[in-house]
Amino acid sequence: MASIHLQPPRRASATANMPGDKSISHRALMLAAVARGLSTVAKLNEGTDVAATLDALALLGVPIEKRDGSLAVTGVDAFDDPAGPIDCRNSGTTMRLLTGLLAGRADAHLDGDVSLRRRPMERVAAPLRAMGADVTTSAGGTPPLEIRRVAGALRGVTAVPAPASAQVKSALLFAGLFADDDTVVIELVPTRDHTERLLSAMGADIASDGPRIRVRRSTLRAFDRLEVPGDFSAAFFFLAAALVRPGASVVIRDLGVNPSRIAAIDVVRAMGGDIRIRDERIAYGEPVATVEGRGGDRLRGVEIPATLVPNLIDEIPALCALGAAADGDLIVKGAADLRNKESDRIATTVALIEAFDGHAEATGDGIVVRGGRALRPPAAVSTGGDHRIGMSAAILAAASGSGLRIDDADCVATSFPGFEAAWNTAFA
Ligand code: S3P
């Protein structure tokens, strides 16, 4: 298994390019696959998670071609039944969203790697069954999943996903595109709304009213050329690395700044950090901007309100790394679902901080990071198979002014192929 070698940070001002947003990439491919006509997607995330979605769609008979650095996807009226299993690899988004897209309309067996095989799938299977779909999980409610065609259309239901989840919401809205009656998702806490924005841009009959999102059977229009914005979650590791080094700055252009994704910026500002957003514009319904992070005085820990958790869920390991480099306590509550990510991120985040001689404690539904300690880099850390833990280690290394070897690092390419080169080019 490969290792990543990060060099000590030396450069004061950096610019960095980010991979395409992973969440938007999955949604763009899946919705293009069922739209009328040919859609072109540029700057798609090239990680292995999105590759799992591409391979799955190819197995389902969706024509996809490479054209001048972008992908051309021709929508289909009906899916082929794949001969063998669909391998969703490490990608929860592939498995959950695809289950919604296929529900009732294909015979498919969905499986994944050891990490994905541990993740809860009943949260998506149960509401789809209530819509009339035939979706079975394995014992324990985990993958593999069996999806069977059903006669006639699904019927809309009203669902209240708990915990609030953009993946479950998206799967139900996808299924609702082919269902009779209204499909309504009520969110306990707002989650990322990329699906709603893309569905509106493609002409779906969808409406949001506060926490209530309603979709009806719709024929989607293909999009001419969707340019996927840069991934904010990937960028946050770079922004954080500048924030922990006084006098450092990093500028990232063409970054997605959807308000339902960037609550980590509010937390950083509350910690006394300096992140600036400029040149904001809208591209295919999504806000895109230039974002700059600047290092200054030491940050201070804050309590992250539980209502913000879904809007910074993927940034929590990185925020905890910032907390370890700050003074005072950083407190995360209402985030028990972190235990169900690519790793048990409550445990792996605590272990990572302790590996740098920081101090953190797992709580029932979150993490308390005790700041104010001198961080000392170990000779090497392991990702434990979780890309975001590996990239959070890079922030701790930057805060200690050192380089770092990150082992078991193949997983970093699930979301950020080329991370090592991007990091060393930006900071070394
Ligand atoms: C995602 C939603 C979140 C997030 C994941 C991507 C999405 O998961 O953690 O990385 O693209 O919808 P949940 O919806 O399970 O919280």
Side-chain angles (χ1 to χ4, degrees), residues 57-388:
L57 293 173
L59 280 177
L60 290 157
V62 179
I64 302 175
E65 265 176 54
K66 280 199 178 141
R67 283 191 195 169
D68 315 324
S70 46
L71 280 183
V73 182
T74 307
V76 294
D77 290 331
F79 293 116
D80 295 346
D81 292 332
I86 292 179
D87 184 0
C88 302
R89 305 191 199 176
N90 191 242
S91 176
T93 315
T94 303
M95 185 170 277
R96 297 201 179 109
L97 270 59
L98 202 57
T99 302
L101 196 71
L102 300 183
R105 305 171 61 237
D107 284 346
H109 175 96
L110 270 49
D111 206 347
D113 68 9
V114 269
S115 153
L116 189 59
R117 275 188 166 206
R118 283 195 291 261
R119 299 180 65 185
M121 293 298 151
E122 268 304 307
R123 56 180 63 183
V124 61
L128 289 170
R129 280 197 295 271
M131 294 177 77
D134 182 349
V135 180
T136 342
T137 57
S138 302
T142 52
L145 299 186
E146 289 297 337
I147 303 172
R148 294 273 156 255
R149 279 176 199 279
V150 295
L154 302 185
R155 49 185 180 274
V157 291
T158 295
V160 187
S165 158
Q167 293 184 351
V168 174
K169 168 177 70 176
S170 301
L172 300 181
L173 297 178
F174 284 8
L177 293 173
F178 305 98
D180 291 333
D181 315 316
D182 289 359
T183 299
V184 177
V185 179
I186 298 176
E187 296 205 284
L188 295 171
V189 188
T191 68
R192 66 190 68 188
D193 65 358
H194 303 302
T195 296
E196 295 93 303
R197 286 172 186 257
L198 191 53
L199 281 174
S200 301
M202 296 175 81
D205 186 347
I206 180 165
S208 294
D209 181 8
R212 190 176 181 278
I213 305 131
R214 194 264 308 132
V215 76
R216 286 191 188 127
R217 180 190 295 284
S218 306
T219 302
L220 302 182
R221 286 193 295 270
F223 38 83
D224 299 334
R225 186 175 188 277
L226 184 153
E227 199 170 295
V228 178
D231 193 305
F232 179 78
S233 299
F236 193 69
F237 301 107
F238 284 73
L239 295 168
L243 289 164
V244 292
R245 291 173 53 228
S249 80
V250 65
V251 174
I252 301 169
R253 297 203 169 77
D254 302 321
L255 195 62
V257 288
N258 180 318
S260 67
R261 279 289 292 284
I262 59 168
I265 293 183
D266 299 331
V267 173
V268 162
R269 288 180 178 154
M271 293 175 78
D274 185 354
I275 295 188
R276 301 172 189 198
I277 301 180
R278 56 178 187 266
D279 303 333
E280 193 168 328
R281 61 190 192 279
I282 300 286
Y284 236 91
E286 289 282 348
V288 177
T290 297
V291 180
E292 178 172 9
R294 295 184 181 199
D297 292 341
R298 253 178 101 82
L299 304 179
R300 50 182 184 275
V302 293
E303 178 167 334
I304 300 177
T307 48
L308 283 189
V309 163
N311 291 350
L312 46 70
I313 186 79
D314 293 336
E315 286 65 72
I316 290 177
L319 284 166
C320 288
L322 277 182
D327 290 324
D329 292 351
L330 179 100
I331 301 167
V332 183
K333 284 183 178 164
D337 208 38
L338 283 177
R339 297 199 188 276
N340 298 316
K341 296 292 177 185
E342 288 85 327
S343 66
D344 171 349
R345 281 195 186 148
I346 293 187
T348 49
T349 300
V350 167
L352 177 68
I353 289 170
E354 306 244 290
F356 279 80
D357 257 358
H359 184 42
E361 289 155 27
T363 62
D365 69 345
I367 302 172
V368 177
V369 182
R370 311 263 180 220
R373 315 229 323 190
L375 297 175
R376 269 183 288 273
V381 293
S382 167
T383 63
D386 185 335
H387 56 139
R388 298 203 196 280

Side-chain angles (χ1 to χ4, degrees), residues 397-411:
S400 351
S402 62
L404 184 67
R405 193 183 89 217
I406 305 174
D407 293 335
D408 195 0
D410 290 332
C411 60

